[in-house]
């Protein structure tokens, strides 16, 4: 499929809620969003239909009433947060769209505030002893039956009211059951996915070969959905206010992932220009593909290691085609997503081994599970590893290594699987979200204990244990990098979280995207400090956040001392080109100029000047 295939008519159902409200105006409509993954996609809108939430009546015992009530309150709170986010975006909509949607969202919000629906659902949990899902579904149907039975000459208004009740009940039910919001079954080849939001777990289900592009209302530049789309090489724009409500299924849409622009019903001249740009982009990619066999070496002979990040096995062919020297960050979260139970040791071993074998003799760094923050994994809640009730501040809560140390069975199973798979090729193990040296101590003790146990069991594992490294992704870890580097076998700087925690900006929030800036001097100083600390201890230091994938930043990162990059596979050729055009001498001079600045705008100007005027993203 070409990303620029002419659109085919699509019989898809209506896009997600809120329902399409604005009538289709004549002519094209242009929306701005956050440029996520370059490339141009043209195709019919596919509004992924929400899977119907089927609720079977489940009884509880009296002792569970409070817990069920708490689950209901949690789902209501999540629903409220989602709607408040949508309401906050209304200002960015054209007036007519906002006029249509505002009362609808207000009605939904009212129903989340002490409405008959919630009072009734609470009462049903307590009196009929049923689970919260059943209580919400039954109460919603009872209310709809009453509304529709009333004598009212305005039948359409009655049906609208009933539909609103069903809609808010469906939102609460999805939040209670944590069901995926999307259903990609039947996504027509060459379509553009348009949605209110796309969770990372849902993005993991996408088949990049079938999709022309993705555009959603929610999402920030470095959220995991963005990372996934970039890795899959799907043209994507996120944070597009008002799009899901304006788009109609089958309507032609143009997604320009490099410019961060989405156009509904693009005019013929715009379509022709987009097709020309798409061909030029494809030609450029072909030219870059020829770099595959050339080494990543600067003009003054410094060798740079360019590795790929991997989020789902579907990316493996892209990794091998990219010319990357192995995988520098295998995010293992995919193994735990979109499933009911947790994968056991054998199942994990088989997956890790197949990836290590596919990449060998190049190395693979497997990061142990980084659950938490925006990466929700329902199977963990279902298995009782984490509480179902969300933390108030999930990004500051039980994330990464913190969770693993509290769930030793989960941690040990994963370590055992990695150790068994590691006989298939060079492997390293990476610990996420380290903030205390003691976490590294504890993790290493568990790692060695697991290895001893496997040997006793007669399993084949490498004679020398694979190196154990730590992610530097919080300011605390960056500023303690000297102590961590003394004991860790390697450091991997995660600039995505490092920028988030340093600047106190949610990496996945569309509305704060302007404040999220890895070129902020505070972030750069932490990167510099951690890099120098690692190199002083003669430990390998890599950058594996998205910052490393921007060729405009390559010279700066080289100048700060970095020689290892792990980046999304499609970015490897461009970053290699930047490496081959740089000299370490020039890069060090650039880094000095940049590190003297306190204003990100001036830093960007230095980077643009160093590149001969083409500014960094
Ligand atoms: C990072 O935080 O930069 C990183 C590489 O980890 P993740 O994006 O998976 O949180
Ligand atoms: Mg991270």
């Amino acid at each position: 499929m070409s990303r620029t295939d002419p659109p085919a008519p699509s019989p898809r159902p209506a896009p997600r809620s809120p329902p399409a409200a604005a009538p289709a105006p004549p002519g094209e409509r242009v929306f701005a969003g956050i440029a996520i993954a370059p490339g141009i996609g043209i195709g019919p809108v596919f509004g992924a239909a929400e899977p119907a939430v089927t609720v079977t009546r489940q009884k509880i015992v009296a002792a569970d009433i409070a817990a069920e009530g708490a689950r209901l309150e949690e789902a209501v709170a999540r629903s409220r947060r989602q709607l408040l986010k949508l309401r906050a975006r209304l200002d960015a909509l054209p007036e007519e769209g906002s006029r249509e949607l505002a009362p609808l969202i207000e009605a939904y919000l009212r129903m989340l505030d002490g409405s008959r629906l919630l009072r009734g659902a609470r009462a049903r949990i307590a009196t009929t002893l049923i689970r919260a899902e059943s209580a919400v579904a039954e109460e919603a149907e009872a209310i709809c039956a009453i509304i529709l039975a009333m004598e009212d000459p305005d039948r359409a208004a009655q049906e609208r009211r009933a539909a609103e009740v069903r809609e808010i009940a469906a939102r609460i039910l999805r939040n209670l059951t944590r069901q995926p919001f999307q259903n990609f079954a039947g996504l027509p080849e060459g379509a553009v996915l348009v949605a209110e939001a796309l969770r990372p777990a849902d993005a993991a289900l996408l088949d990049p070969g079938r999709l022309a592009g993705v555009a959603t209302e929610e999402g920030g530049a470095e959220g995991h959905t963005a990372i996934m789309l970039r890795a899959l090489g799907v043209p994507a724009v996120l944070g597009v206010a008002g799009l899901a409500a304006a788009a109609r299924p089958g309507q032609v849409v143009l997604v320009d992932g490099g410019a961060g622009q989405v156009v509904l019903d693009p005019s013929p001249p715009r379509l022709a220009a987009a097709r020309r740009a798409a061909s030029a982009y494809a030609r450029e990619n072909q030219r870059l593909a020829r770099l595959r066999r050339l080494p990543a070496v600067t003009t003054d002979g410094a060798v740079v290691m360019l590795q790929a990040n991997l989020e789902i096995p579907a990316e493996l062919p892209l990794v091998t085609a990219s010319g990357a020297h192995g995988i520098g960050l295998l995010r293992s979260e995919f193994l735990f997503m979109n499933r009911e139970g947790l994968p056991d040791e054998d199942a994990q071993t088989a997956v890790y081994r197949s990836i290590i074998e596919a990449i060998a003799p190049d190395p693979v760094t497997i990061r142990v599970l980084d659950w938490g923050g925006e990466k929700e994994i329902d199977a963990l809640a279902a298995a009782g590893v984490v509480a179902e009730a969300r933390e108030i501040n999930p990004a500051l809560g039980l994330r990464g290594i913190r969770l693993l140390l509290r769930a030793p069975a989960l941690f040990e199973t994963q370590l055992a699987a990695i150790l068994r798979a590691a006989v298939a090729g060079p492997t390293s193990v990476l610990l996420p979200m380290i903030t205390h040296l003691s976490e590294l101590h504890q993790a290493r003790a568990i790692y060695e204990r697991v290895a001893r146990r496997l040997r006793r069991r007669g399993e084949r594992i490498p004679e020398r244990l694979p190196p154990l490294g730590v992610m530097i992704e919080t300011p605390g870890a960056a500023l303690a990098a000297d102590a961590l580097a003394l004991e860790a076998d390697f450091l991997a700087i995660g600039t995505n979280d490092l920028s988030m925690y340093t600047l106190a900006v949610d990496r996945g929030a569309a509305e704060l995207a302007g404040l999220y800036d890895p070129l902020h001097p505070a972030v750069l100083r932490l990167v510099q400090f951690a890099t120098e600390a690692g190199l002083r201890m003669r430990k390998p230091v890599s950058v594996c956040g998205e910052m490393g994938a921007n060729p405009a930043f390559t010279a700066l990162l080289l100048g700060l001392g970095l020689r290892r990059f792990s980046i999304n596979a499609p970015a490897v050729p461009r970053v290699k080109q930047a490496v081959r055009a740089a000299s370490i001498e020039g890069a060090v001079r650039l880094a000095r100029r940049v590190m003297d600045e306190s204003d990100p705008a001036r830093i960007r100007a230095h980077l643009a000047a160093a590149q001969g005027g083409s500014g960094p993203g």
Side-chain angles (χ1 to χ4, degrees):
M1 179 219 43
S2 138
R3 302 245 187 257
T4 54
D5 280 350
S10 161
R12 291 294 104 215
R16 313 196 29 212
S17 65
E28 61 177 32
R29 291 178 70 183
V30 181
F31 295 79
I34 307 167
I36 297 295
I40 290 176
I42 304 169
V45 167
F46 174 77
E50 284 175 19
V53 187
T54 41
V55 177
T56 46
R57 195 167 217 260
Q58 276 180 302
K59 298 290 283 181
I60 56 171
V61 292
D64 293 336
I65 292 174
E68 280 306 299
R71 283 184 64 236
L72 176 60
E73 297 318 320
E74 163 65 15
V76 168
R78 277 171 75 87
S79 305
R80 188 178 296 114
R81 282 198 296 273
Q82 289 160 356
L83 289 167
L84 288 173
K85 265 192 182 174
L86 278 178
R87 190 172 69 179
R89 302 270 166 73
L90 287 180
D91 288 346
L93 283 185
E95 205 193 320
E96 54 187 325
S98 155
R99 217 175 27 238
E100 285 282 344
L101 277 179
L104 205 54
I105 292 179
E106 289 310 325
Y108 294 151
L109 280 168
R110 265 198 310 280
M111 279 191 274
L112 291 178
D113 269 332
S115 65
R116 151 129 203 229
L117 175 65
L118 294 188
R119 281 196 311 277
R122 282 186 206 113
R124 278 172 197 264
I125 293 174
T127 53
T128 28
L129 294 179
I130 49 176
R131 283 195 42 110
E133 289 87 329
S134 316
V136 171
E138 289 178 16
E139 185 62 26
E141 276 322 301
I143 296 173
C144 289
I146 294 169
I147 293 174
L148 295 173
M150 277 189 304
E151 291 286 330
D152 189 336
D154 191 350
R155 183 73 191 162
Q158 265 179 317
E159 280 171 3
R160 243 190 344 263
R161 276 204 304 283
E164 286 169 11
V165 173
R166 289 206 178 97
E167 167 59 29
I168 196 67
R171 188 176 282 274
I172 299 171
L173 285 174
R174 275 196 313 274
N175 283 320
L176 268 170
T177 53
R178 301 283 178 98
Q179 279 199 15
F181 271 56
Q182 311 288 349
N183 180 358
F184 301 127
L187 186 125
E189 188 146 344
V192 171
L193 175 65
V194 174
E196 190 184 293
L198 183 64
R199 298 192 320 160
D202 293 336
L205 300 176
L206 290 173
D207 175 354
R210 292 181 64 83
L211 261 187
V214 173
T216 71
E217 295 207 6
E218 289 190 15
E222 311 303 351
H224 286 90
T225 300
I227 288 173
M228 202 86 87
L229 293 170
R230 227 172 265 141
L232 293 172
V234 180
V237 182
L238 303 187
V240 193
L243 180 68
R248 285 172 293 105
Q251 185 176 20
V252 179
V253 58
L254 160 63
V255 175
D256 183 338
Q261 196 178 63
V262 180
V263 186
L264 289 175
D265 288 328
S267 65
R270 190 189 289 273
L271 267 181
R275 291 209 167 96
R276 279 195 302 278
S279 318
Y281 183 71
R283 276 197 305 278
E284 167 76 351
N285 278 343
Q286 269 169 7
R287 190 184 65 74
L288 287 168
R290 290 199 284 275
L291 291 178
R292 186 176 178 275
R293 293 187 195 291
L294 297 179
V297 181
T298 61
T299 55
D300 44 1
V303 178
V304 175
M305 194 185 213
L306 290 187
Q307 297 188 293
N309 292 347
L310 187 104
E311 0 295 321
I312 45 175
E315 295 166 49
L316 262 179
L318 290 176
V319 172
T320 35
S322 72
H325 180 63
I327 295 173
L329 171 64
L330 190 161
R331 293 180 164 100
S332 61
E333 288 79 57
F334 75 87
L335 263 165
F336 299 81
M337 284 175 175
N338 297 315
R339 52 182 299 145
E340 300 213 331
L342 297 174
D344 65 14
E345 186 183 308
D346 286 346
Q348 289 193 51
T349 306
V351 175
Y352 302 139
R353 183 179 291 137
S354 67
I355 296 173
I356 294 168
E357 272 168 1
I359 296 295
D362 289 340
V364 176
T365 297
I366 302 179
R367 187 177 68 187
V368 286
L369 180 64
D370 181 21
W371 182 87
E374 52 170 346
K375 303 173 201 173
E376 289 176 47
I377 298 175
D378 303 338
L380 292 187
V385 177
V386 295
E388 279 211 22
R390 297 265 297 169
E391 298 165 299
I392 295 173
N393 262 325
L396 304 181
L398 203 56
R399 231 199 111 167
I401 192 69
R402 303 173 185 178
L403 172 84
L404 294 173
L405 291 176
R406 290 202 195 187
L410 179 74
F411 192 22
E412 289 174 20
T413 304
Q414 189 172 23
L415 289 174
I418 296 172
L419 283 171
R420 284 171 58 194
V423 290
T427 308
S428 302
V429 180
L430 181 55
L431 304 170
M433 271 298 283
I434 292 278
T435 49
H436 287 268
L437 189 56
S438 62
E439 291 163 339
L440 171 59
H441 291 161
Q442 290 174 67
R444 196 182 284 282
I446 295 173
Y447 186 48
E448 288 170 357
R449 189 168 70 227
V450 169
R452 283 196 298 276
R453 195 182 301 147
L454 287 173
R455 288 200 175 103
R456 273 201 304 277
R457 227 168 72 187
E459 299 284 357
R460 223 161 71 74
I461 64 170
E463 208 162 301
R464 273 184 67 158
L465 290 192
L468 186 65
V470 297
M471 292 283 300
I472 302 291
E473 47 187 348
T474 62
L479 291 170
D482 40 3
L484 289 168
L486 203 57
E487 308 211 18
D489 299 324
F490 63 97
L491 307 182
I493 304 179
T495 51
N496 306 334
D497 279 319
L498 188 58
S499 306
M500 168 165 98
Y501 290 118
T502 305
L503 304 175
V505 175
D506 188 337
R507 59 193 269 188
E511 55 276 39
L512 298 175
L515 293 175
Y516 181 95
D517 188 356
L519 289 182
H520 189 293
V523 179
L524 294 180
R525 285 173 198 173
L526 291 169
V527 171
Q528 182 181 38
F529 185 87
T531 305
E532 289 176 355
L535 297 179
R536 256 198 318 277
M537 302 296 168
R538 301 189 185 290
K539 298 291 168 73
V541 184
S542 67
V543 58
C544 60
E546 293 296 294
M547 188 181 184
N550 188 336
F553 301 171
T554 305
L556 169 62
L557 295 171
L558 291 172
L560 292 177
L562 286 154
R563 298 288 181 273
R564 292 167 182 253
F565 294 64
S566 189
I567 58 186
N568 66 73
V572 170
R574 281 186 168 74
V575 171
K576 188 186 276 186
Q577 178 173 258
V579 167
R580 291 174 59 84
S583 72
I584 295 298
E585 207 193 327
V588 168
R589 268 201 313 273
L590 171 66
R592 279 207 198 105
R593 280 198 299 276
V594 164
M595 298 313 283
D596 276 345
E597 294 292 353
S598 51
D599 175 4
R602 298 219 13 106
I603 292 175
R604 283 200 154 70
H606 283 300
L607 298 192
Q611 281 196 301
S614 61

